[in-house]
Amino acid sequence: MPRPLGELEDAVMTRVWKWNRPVTVREVLEDLQKERSIAYTTVMTVMDNLHQKGWVRRESEGRAYRYEAVSTRAAYAAALMNEAWSRSDNAAAALVAFFGMMSEEQRQALQDAIRIVQLPQTSEADDGNAATPPDENPASRDEPGGR
């Protein structure tokens, strides 16, 4: 599980995620300078640190690098939530407290997410193979060549 991003790391990653394409230090710098005074070397160091931590990959382009996110912001948020939840000694109580902090919009998003991840119920549920598609023999997966 990655550590939470620091404030400047988050500001840089926000741009990388939002733009969803390989970016240069100069592009990030120019966008950050709309909000704050910051040096090129500071942004370069942050992006190098993000690369070292595995948040971005980079490819050389002339004398500079282009950086690209390794995963999505949603995956980052999910990993943070999972890490926090796994540290609780009472997972149910932690969830109840978390749900209590949610806005109505967040609760609706949670309900939508639960609907998406729930497995569809099939008539095969009674025979214990509900997760296996009806036309697949589970034993055949272990045979060479397969199915």
Side-chain angles (χ1 to χ4, degrees), residues 89-110:
D89 59 350
N90 186 334
L95 285 174
V96 169
F98 179 63
F99 296 158
M101 296 176 192
M102 292 177 138
S103 68
E104 184 55 39
E105 182 178 283
Q106 290 169 323
R107 279 195 279 284
Q108 184 60 51
L110 174 63

Side-chain angles (χ1 to χ4, degrees), residues 82-93:
N82 187 56
E83 174 68 13
W85 187 37
S86 70
R87 290 179 185 231
S88 172
D89 59 350
N90 186 334

